[in-house]
Amino acid sequence: MNFVQESFHERKIKHQTFCENFVIVADEIDSIKTKAAKLKEFWGTTDLHQSQRTSFPTGQSRLPSIGKNDMVGFHNDLNQIIDRLTGNQGALQLIPVTGMGGIGKTTLGKNVYNDPRIKDHFHTRAWVSISQEYREREVLLNLLDSMEQLSAEMCQENSTAKLKDYLHKSLIGMTYLVVLDDIWTTEARGSLRRIFPDERNGSRIMLTTRLLCVVDSRHSPHRMQFLNETDSWNLLCQKVFGEDFCPLELEEVGKEISNNCKGLPLSLVVIGNHLSKVNRTKDHWEYVAENVKSVVNAADENCSEILSLSYDYLPHYFKARFLYMGVLPEDDEIRVSKLIKLWAAEGFLKPVRGKTLEEVAEEFLGDLISRNLILISKKSSSGKIKTCSIHDMLRDLCVRKAQEDKFFHVTVTNKDFKIYAEGIKYSRRLCIHPDIFQKELSNSDNSNVNTSVGSLPPIRSTLCSHLAGEIYESGNRNLFPLLRVLDLGKGKVDGFPIKNKISSRKVPFFLRTLIVDCEDVHLPEEIWRMPQLRHLLFGMCYLPCPARSPIDGDNLILENLLTLSKVSSVSCTKEVFERVPNLKKLGIFSEQWITSPLSLGTLVNLPQLENLRIRNVFSTLMNFTFPPNIKKLTLDGCRIPWKHMTIVGSMPNLEVLKLRYHAFYGPEWEPGEGEFCKLKFLLLHSMRLKQWRADKTHFPSLVRLILRACLELEEIRCSIGDISTLQIIDLDDASPSAVTSAKKIQEEQRNLGNDSLQVRFSNFFHFMFLKRKEAEAEICGSTDDTLLLKATKQFHTNLYRDPVEEVASAVVPRLFEFLKRDDYPQLQCEAALAITGISNSSSDMINTLIDHGSVPIMVSLLSSPKDVLRGQASDEHYYSTHRIIQYVDKMSTELVVTQRRNAHWKTPLIISQSLSALHVLGKFAVDSTKSRDIVLSYGVLMPLLAQFNDETKLYITRKAMWTFSLLCAGKPKPQFEQVYLLIAFLFSFDAYQYC
């Protein structure tokens, strides 16, 4: 029928249809224009026709400038995914790709989709971006369009059932690849999965998602990882310079910029695009290096939107727990146990019938991890998450969202503090990361600040990253009366808060959690008047004896207290434990100066105790009795005869046992029948055990066996491998015969069809031995000061981790040379630490030190008018005073304490001469009476007594008390004339205040 023959009515219908279609087309054109504009702005120069044609990602959560070149660092991921897509022809498979927002999932998907190997393998391909709001009809149309199967008739179809049917039929007989990009719900995944036919011809579905919970448990996900330093730098260079090279003068700061992006491709691409458009000056690049997060957010607001999607999608009751991650210091690994305590104290956790608060919290944390918002750092011996972390960009998001919602307020700089009072007017939580707060509070001229602080009753939590002890010594004495959480952070706080006693008038009644990561904390008597307390965590604390307290006894029971760690052994009395009847976790610390026996009989007063750790060095343990509910026991340096192990083995609920640094002594351990019935994890670390007569009957439930530095152990019996539950045998620095026996166990189990048992080996101490020998050679032969500093540091670090029987003979005199280098204080410090380390070795090494004239040198250091050696260290030598004190104080127990490198603290390296000298002289005295008498003969008494004054730091005075006790000990006793001044001093001096 031609146009003339058509009736008016027919022409009217066609005209109406045309107009309606025109409106639809016009709307689609407008939509395409809008998307194109956003893409042009967001992606840069991209083939928009290609993007539109194949329905490549047009949603918000996309990386800028997506292209093949952005696969820097992801080539292994590309090949692994392609292998999974093209291998093992058969049933339809789903290949999930998961990872944090901005990590490059879509980029990987696009490069997989366009790879020639994929094009050649599959008959047809389809791509669709889902995003958070699942619009089924739009998704189906995009899939058909990407397959070039979309017709005008289908565009008019409103029935999703018909569109699904057409899509299904179009894939029949085809080997296809479908990419479902950015899926957020299991409903969307399930709805789409049912559309695709399974003809067992090797077809595949690939999906990308931030949410691990979207992935069906039957399908193993491919987890995207952050870029390493090299790949980060290469990607940044590619974005900034293209094929050109980075100018030499910008390379160092450029690498700092790339490192500060923390391996997130989104940040690297945005920063790269920014740097490519601005003048390439070193000043601006240095500014960018110091302000990566703010530059990223300012350069492209879509970056914030991309990351915000994950937060916005969280259920309401999850948001507070996630935002709380922002209160913790940047770049810190977060202890899950601490995080859970903070959540509980804040009221974020509600009881669930049949579950503890810890179990509820672990489920919430697992959900945040599955959403790729929180990262797992370490796992505990029981397989639980021990520490976690958060990427800087997500942490920045937490801080911004929290401050917008007045969830908490963070002071980071002096500029921030100027708006302190107004900023926290309605906030319930205050976070102080540098030591700004106490400086401002202590400024008596700043009356406005103190007035504002005194009028802030809403504050419920105060969390400080370090050196915040003066908070409660400044300002209004009624500061924060409703405080529930007080975390005074890390670092030695001199005079915390006043003469190492928490001021009673400033301890909030409602306090639930108190965390102070330093030692020598003397708690006031008023601690017994705080019934809400749940957790007390310290480097070490002293509890006042309730029996001596003038406080009414009716108020002394702390029924809610669950955690007390670490507490001095002198506070572990019956009177104390009777007043904490529901305690579940206890850490006991026995100091070196305490020589009286430590009785474990008082533990019977803690019937609910589940987790117990005892670190004991010099005291004798008595009354081996443990509460029946203990599940985890850690003994450290206790030197208990093996015959008492039957007491431990008979503990009915024990699941985890860790024995460290000669916790038990003797060459043989023969477990008894019926012991350790529930034990799942056993660690033996630095135990001088030769024969371990254990078999499968002694540890029927064992899952993991870890042996570290048990160099004398001859073998592991073959029957250990027959334990049906055993999964891992881990040997670090074991004897060759023990390694042989472990290999034999694994071989026998494989022959029996048991491939699940893993046997691991490593030789850390051998590696440390080689590094120490290299350092010794450098110390003895080099004249370059920089190399000498590095070698001396390496030498004493290795001594700290692995005390040795001997060192090269030329090392000791060289170290004494370094100790005299007043022109090089850094080297003096490292030499002092090295000499301290040697003094913790064998008697032969102590004699070597004495033969080289160390005694008069150490005595002279006690008389030195200088209190400390100071020097600005290089980037690899930033220590806090507290860490160095820990180093000297703990070396005698052979504890490994990681020396912390804090790139944010440009502080001097500080070590007390007196502390090192006292430690070395004390080790000489305890080694033999001959060495003791040599020390006394060099006139040590007067310099030693001079340490007891109000100006001397408490940790030095305590070390002096320890040295004093050793000089008076031993058989035969020292001559009275040598020590009478010290004895007289004791009669006229209250030594207990230094204990």
Side-chain angles (χ1 to χ4, degrees), residues 911-922:
I911 179 174
S912 169
Q913 289 188 14
S914 299
L915 188 64
S916 288
L918 287 166
H919 184 87
V920 172
L921 293 171

Side-chain angles (χ1 to χ4, degrees), residues 789 792-793 796 826-834 877 879 909:
L789 179 66
T792 307
K793 176 183 179 296
H796 79 67
Q826 296 100 320
L827 186 58
Q828 284 181 299
C829 293
E830 301 295 352
L833 287 175
H877 290 76
Y879 299 92
L909 177 66

Side-chain angles (χ1 to χ4, degrees), residues 54-57 106 109-110 113 126-129 142-143 146 179 181:
T54 60
S55 188
F56 274 131
T106 298
K110 180 178 178 182
Y113 191 89
W127 175 294
V128 66
S129 296
N142 282 332
L143 282 170
S146 68
V179 180
D181 182 43

